[in-house]
């Protein structure tokens, strides 16, 4: 009926987390190959991980590094070669060069175009379909109407993020490493294990920084719009959870699973205020609706 | 060795004419709302037509910058624009969206398509992807040097283009992979030609507000904040040119549609001289050091002014709209 998914970066997170609310897991942290034990960079972890996900009764998609330089391509290629021999349900690709590489490597698994694949148009959806893409995560700047238009006018499904921080920027260099005295080429000390925040000196804007990626300060929250999403016959939903605690992942997943289950069964949504309060409590910089309703990403529009 | 082309900006009709007069092989111009620049650095269709005619009269070419990521609802307008400019004699387009590239190739089979910096290329296989979907030339990332150019030559037969400036190897420099501006600020505009735009510069809203250039406090949960900015200035390039030409770079691009006309005039004149010198066998670029130093100084001052203007607009974006656009 619907698929609710989230992301898991490493074997440790996979073992530690409660993913019972989710139908599918995207394995790997796509913004940084140096992230400890990242599935994106460690082919030796993949067989056990995919087996573990299947034991949980879920689908497993493998994420590929979003900004590979030529120097990174041998690592990425090794990951792909390993994954092709394993029962993954698909790859998530952000980089169009990797689409080209997967094609030349004879991949037949479904491909999902990730958030930094910059999918803005139905025309591009048709292009990437020729490379094996079956699902796209539209650029966050697209409105809900635009995402639905792409779904309706192409043979490609759309993934709709419903909760979590919005990926805004991905870079090839690590901002945390550079600004904590690290030198280029020096080993990463994994300082991103601590949360880092960029706050405008005048205090009115805050963003979360994970080193190679900058995320929204506020958490995207679409709980008040679950009925609308279900009515639009959207069916692939995603909780962005990079850098969040196991408790966050479990709680948010449970809230949305229950909400979508009710919505798809045609039941009234009821009073979501207590759940919104719970979600607000998990969000350090408040909630927002992203760009779904044609406004700046950080605004919370609500139902009206 | 094939002499590479010099691409110069035409932010205004006057700038386009000056660039032609100073020896640019190709001038690139952007239609209002379609080229990631503020209204004052884009052109009306009437001016674009005049720029094309002027360039053609002088044996030069014009590329049309259509490098926004259009809305799926804008594709018909996008196609109409392409046919209009091709009909007037524009010799090519600078584009970002892969779907738009394929669309143009279908509409104007013999045109030249450049992949814009907004495509966010990071490796040589990206170049091959864009060649396969119909592009002729790809602009290479700011930080690439001889190694990456040579590697790309091995992987793909696509034409290579580089910006005539270099940038530091650190910091967040992510063209095409940043929507920070529209997360924080959002504005809708209606151009005098009727194009409604909204969102980030990626989508044709009138400007990236350069929010990354603001003063930030950067802190870990338990640490004291460090004051910093996210981006650092680029500077004009010269020393690398002979090697890049040797490696087969086909186009060298001067950026700066938003800069003053005299600055563009002097840059075109300078790089024309340098490229012609290389074509004649001159490989020692030290002969240009003094001239380059002066230009670098002017470039940096203008860049700083530009950032100040954009930051000021971000602060006052609800004020009265500029004369070529109407805030909705």
């Amino acid at each position: 009926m619907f698929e609710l998914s989230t992301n898991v970066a490493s074997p440790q997170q996979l073992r530690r987390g409660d993913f019972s609310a989710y139908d599918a897991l995207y394995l790997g942290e796509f913004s940084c190959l140096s992230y400890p034990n990242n599935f994106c960079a460690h082919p030796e972890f993949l067989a056990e991980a995919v087996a573990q996900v299947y034991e949980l009764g879920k689908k497993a998609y493998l994420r590929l590094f979003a900004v590979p330089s030529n120097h990174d391509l041998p690592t990425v290629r090794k990951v792909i070669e390993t994954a092709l021999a394993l029962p993954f349900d698909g790859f998530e690709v952000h980089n169009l060069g990797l689409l080209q590489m997967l094609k030349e490597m004879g991949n037949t698994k479904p491909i999902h175009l990730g958030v930094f694949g910059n999918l803005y148009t139905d025309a591009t959806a048709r292009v990437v379909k020729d490379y094996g893409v079956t699902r796209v995560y539209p650029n966050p700047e697209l409105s809900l109407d635009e995402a639905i238009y792409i779904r309706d006018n192409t043979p490609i499904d759309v993934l709709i993020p419903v909760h979590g921080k919005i990926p805004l920027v991905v870079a090839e260099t690590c901002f945390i490493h550079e600004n904590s005295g690290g030198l280029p080429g020096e080993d990463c000390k994994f300082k991103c294990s601590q949360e880092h925040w960029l706050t405008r000196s005048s205090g009115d804007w805050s963003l979360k920084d994970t080193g190679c990626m900058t995320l929204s300060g506020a958490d995207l929250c679409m709980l008040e719009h679950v009925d609308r999403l279900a009515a639009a016959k959207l069916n692939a939903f995603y909780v962005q959870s990079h850098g969040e605690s196991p408790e966050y992942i479990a709680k948010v997943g449970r809230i949305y699973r229950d909400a979508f289950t009710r919505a798809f069964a045609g039941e009234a949504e009821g009073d979501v205020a207590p759940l919104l309060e719970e979600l607000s409590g998990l969000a350090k910089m408040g909630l927002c609706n992203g760009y779904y309703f044609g406004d700046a990403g950080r605004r919370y529009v609500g139902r009206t | 060795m094939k002499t590479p082309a010099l691409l110069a900006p035409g932010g205004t009709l006057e700038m386009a004419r000056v660039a032609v007069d100073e020896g640019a092989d190709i001038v690139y111009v952007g239609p209002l709302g379609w080229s990631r620049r503020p209204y004052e650095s884009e052109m009306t269709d009437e001016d674009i037509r005049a720029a094309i005619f002027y360039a053609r009269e002088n044996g030069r070419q014009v590329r049309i910058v259509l490098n926004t990521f259009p809305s799926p609802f804008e594709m018909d307008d996008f196609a109409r624009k392409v046919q209009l400019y091709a009909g007037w004699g524009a010799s090519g387009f600078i584009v970002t969206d892969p779907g738009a590239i394929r669309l143009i190739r279908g509409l104007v089979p013999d045109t030249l398509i450049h992949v814009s910096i907004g495509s966010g290329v990071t490796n040589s296989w990206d170049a091959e992807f864009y060649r396969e979907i119909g592009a002729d030339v790809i602009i290479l990332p700011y930080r690439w040097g001889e190694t990456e150019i040579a590697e790309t030559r091995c992987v793909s037969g696509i034409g290579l283009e580089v910006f005539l400036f270099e940038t530091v190897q650190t910091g967040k420099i992510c063209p095409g992979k940043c929507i920070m501006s529209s997360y924080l600020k959002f504005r809708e505009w209606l151009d005098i030609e009727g194009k409604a735009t909204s969102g980030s510069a990626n989508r044709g809203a009138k400007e990236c507000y350069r929010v990354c250039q603001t003063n930030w406090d950067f802190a870990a949960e338990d640490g004291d904040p460090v004051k910093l900015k996210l981006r650092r200035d680029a500077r004009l390039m010269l020393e690398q040119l002979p090697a890049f030409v040797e490696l087969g770079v086909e186009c060298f691009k001067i950026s700066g549609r938003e800069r003053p006309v005299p600055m563009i005039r002097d840059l075109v004149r300078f790089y024309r001289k340098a490229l012609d010198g290389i074509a004649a066998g001159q490989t020692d670029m030290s002969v240009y050091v003094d001239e380059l130093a002066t230009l670098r100084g002017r470039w940096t001052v203008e860049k700083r002014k530009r950032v100040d203007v954009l930051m000021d607009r971000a602060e006052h974006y609800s004020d009265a709209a500029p004369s070529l656009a109407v805030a909705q």
Side-chain angles (χ1 to χ4, degrees):
Chain A
M1 194 187 296
F2 68 90
E3 178 187 289
L4 183 64
S5 59
T6 191
N7 49 287
V8 186
S10 67
Q12 290 79 0
Q13 289 177 19
L14 184 57
R15 277 196 298 272
R16 230 176 30 218
D18 169 5
F19 302 104
S20 56
Y22 298 93
D23 305 292
L25 299 178
Y26 284 88
L27 301 183
E29 167 27 46
F30 61 71
S31 72
C32 177
L33 281 181
S34 300
Y35 189 87
N37 298 328
N38 187 354
F39 289 121
C40 292
H42 289 276
E44 69 274 20
F45 298 147
L46 298 183
E48 193 181 329
V50 76
Q52 210 172 331
V53 175
Y54 285 149
E55 273 174 32
L56 295 171
K58 303 179 191 311
K59 288 186 174 178
Y61 306 120
L62 180 63
R63 286 186 149 162
L64 300 180
F65 184 36
V67 282
S69 66
N70 285 348
H71 176 74
D72 301 317
L73 288 178
T75 302
V76 178
R77 185 183 276 275
K78 208 172 283 181
V79 167
I80 294 172
E81 278 167 359
T82 304
L84 284 174
L86 294 169
F88 278 103
D89 293 284
F91 290 104
E92 185 191 67
V93 174
H94 300 245
N95 173 263
L96 300 177
L98 292 186
L99 278 188
Q100 186 76 26
M101 185 181 273
L102 279 162
K103 183 180 164 190
E104 301 212 2
M105 290 174 76
N107 169 59
T108 55
K109 293 183 191 295
I111 299 173
H112 299 177
L113 192 71
V115 59
F116 287 110
N118 270 347
L119 191 291
Y120 279 84
T121 63
D122 51 318
T124 294
R126 283 187 280 273
V127 170
V128 295
K129 180 186 175 292
D130 293 347
Y131 290 78
V133 173
T134 58
R135 177 190 284 179
V136 297
Y137 181 144
N139 185 285
E141 286 193 314
L142 265 65
S143 68
L144 206 48
D145 288 344
E146 288 171 320
I148 291 169
Y149 179 89
I150 288 170
R151 191 272 315 266
D152 289 346
N153 288 276
T154 69
I156 282 187
D157 199 7
V158 292
L159 180 69
I160 301 294
V162 289
H163 202 90
K165 293 178 178 57
I166 306 166
L168 301 176
V169 185
V170 68
E172 295 154 67
T173 54
C174 178
F175 195 63
I176 295 174
H177 182 67
E178 283 175 4
N179 287 285
S180 55
L183 299 171
E186 195 177 53
D187 276 352
C188 169
K189 304 283 192 302
F190 191 35
K191 291 188 176 166
C192 61
S193 59
Q194 278 193 305
E195 281 194 359
H196 283 71
W197 291 86
L198 275 163
T199 304
R200 197 187 188 202
S201 293
S202 53
D204 50 351
W205 301 337
S206 278
L207 303 171
K208 187 174 180 183
D209 201 281
T210 63
C212 295
M213 183 162 59
T214 308
L215 300 156
S216 61
D219 286 15
L220 168 72
C221 175
M222 291 295 283
L223 187 67
E224 289 196 279
H225 307 282
V226 161
D227 282 350
R228 181 175 170 179
L229 299 174
K233 297 189 168 51
L234 294 161
N235 58 14
F237 306 108
Y238 175 67
V239 172
Q240 198 296 116
S241 64
H242 176 54
E244 305 294 356
S245 68
E247 295 71 32
Y248 179 104
I249 295 167
K251 267 190 193 173
V252 171
R254 183 49 54 198
I255 287 171
Y256 278 91
R257 165 145 306 277
D258 292 347
F260 278 118
T261 302
R262 276 196 304 275
F264 277 86
E267 293 173 21
E269 197 172 29
D271 180 14
V272 296
L275 296 172
L276 270 180
E277 203 170 313
E278 196 171 345
L279 292 171
S280 291
L282 293 168
K284 290 189 180 164
M285 297 291 169
L287 303 175
C288 68
N289 284 131
Y291 304 78
Y292 282 138
F293 304 111
D295 208 335
R298 65 180 172 145
R299 305 247 162 79
Y300 190 80
V301 178
R303 272 197 184 131
T304 51
Chain B
M1 189 188 303
K2 193 178 162 191
T3 306
L6 179 62
L7 273 76
T12 59
L13 181 55
E14 183 195 2
M15 188 188 292
R17 285 177 170 151
V18 164
V20 167
D21 293 345
E22 293 297 332
D25 301 295
I26 302 165
V27 178
Y28 59 94
V29 302
L32 284 170
W34 294 94
S35 78
R36 299 177 180 237
R37 281 294 180 278
Y39 62 95
E40 69 271 23
S41 307
E42 295 184 324
M43 283 193 195
T44 62
D45 283 348
E46 192 182 332
D47 280 353
I48 289 175
R49 187 176 193 175
I52 293 170
F53 287 172
Y54 189 77
R56 283 166 65 95
E57 271 177 8
N58 288 277
R60 311 295 164 74
Q61 301 178 37
V62 169
R63 302 280 196 270
I64 308 297
V65 187
L66 290 171
N67 65 347
T68 56
F69 283 109
S71 164
F73 304 138
E74 291 177 331
M75 293 311 282
D76 290 345
D77 288 342
F78 186 94
R80 271 193 289 276
K81 287 273 182 191
V82 167
Q83 287 170 310
L84 179 70
Y85 304 133
W88 285 344
S91 55
F93 298 88
I94 299 174
V95 191
T96 303
D97 186 70
I101 290 172
R102 190 179 274 181
L103 174 69
I104 292 173
R105 181 56 69 214
L107 291 170
V108 195
D110 58 350
T111 197
L112 287 163
I113 301 175
H114 296 234
V115 181
S116 167
I117 192 68
S119 61
V121 166
T122 63
N123 62 68
S124 302
W125 285 71
D126 283 323
E128 180 56 11
F129 171 86
Y130 283 103
R131 188 204 60 77
E132 198 172 272
I133 66 167
D136 300 289
V137 180
I138 193 161
I139 184 105
L140 301 179
Y142 302 134
R143 288 168 171 159
W144 278 20
E146 292 174 39
T147 307
E148 291 88 350
I149 292 173
E151 287 168 348
T152 305
R153 267 275 157 269
C154 292
V155 173
S156 178
I158 197 167
L160 304 181
E161 177 180 326
V162 298
F163 276 113
L164 283 163
F165 62 80
E166 58 190 357
T167 187
V168 292
Q169 296 293 321
T170 56
K172 286 184 188 293
I173 298 180
C174 352
K177 297 200 183 300
C178 175
I179 54 170
M180 192 189 288
S181 182
S182 58
Y183 172 72
L184 298 167
K185 294 275 184 186
F186 203 80
R187 190 178 190 185
E188 295 181 350
W189 297 79
L190 182 64
D191 279 322
I192 54 169
E193 292 186 338
K195 182 178 187 295
T197 51
S198 60
S200 70
N202 285 351
R203 310 202 74 189
K206 299 319 295 177
E207 49 241 305
C208 162
Y209 292 114
R210 297 292 197 276
V211 292
C212 58
Q213 298 274 7
T214 194
N215 295 311
W216 294 96
D217 290 337
F218 185 53
E221 303 164 83
D222 58 357
D224 294 329
V226 178
K227 293 204 176 297
L228 49 80
K229 289 189 176 185
L230 302 191
R231 290 187 60 175
R232 299 170 197 186
D233 282 343
R235 63 176 199 162
L236 294 172
M237 174 208 288
L238 181 67
E239 294 83 357
Q240 301 92 328
L241 293 195
F244 284 8
V245 172
E246 182 73 32
L247 285 166
V249 171
E250 292 177 11
C251 302
F252 288 94
K253 184 176 191 176
I254 299 171
S255 70
R257 275 184 284 160
E258 62 283 359
R259 286 185 170 64
V261 172
M263 169 103 242
I264 298 305
R265 176 197 64 210
D266 294 347
L267 284 172
V268 175
R269 190 179 294 168
F270 175 73
Y271 281 115
R272 178 78 275 159
K273 185 168 57 179
L275 287 175
D276 287 348
I278 293 167
Q282 169 81 38
T283 54
D284 178 10
M285 296 290 101
S286 66
V287 295
Y288 304 115
V289 163
D290 292 342
E291 206 174 341
L292 178 68
T294 307
L295 286 169
R296 276 180 174 163
R298 286 171 64 192
W299 171 272
T300 304
V301 169
E302 291 301 335
K303 191 171 173 62
R304 205 170 294 142
K305 277 191 210 163
R306 160 113 176 110
V307 170
D308 289 346
V309 166
L310 292 177
M311 286 300 297
D312 188 58
R313 283 184 186 168
E315 296 291 343
H316 302 102
Y317 79 115
S318 57
D319 296 351
S323 59
L324 277 179
V326 182
Q328 289 189 306

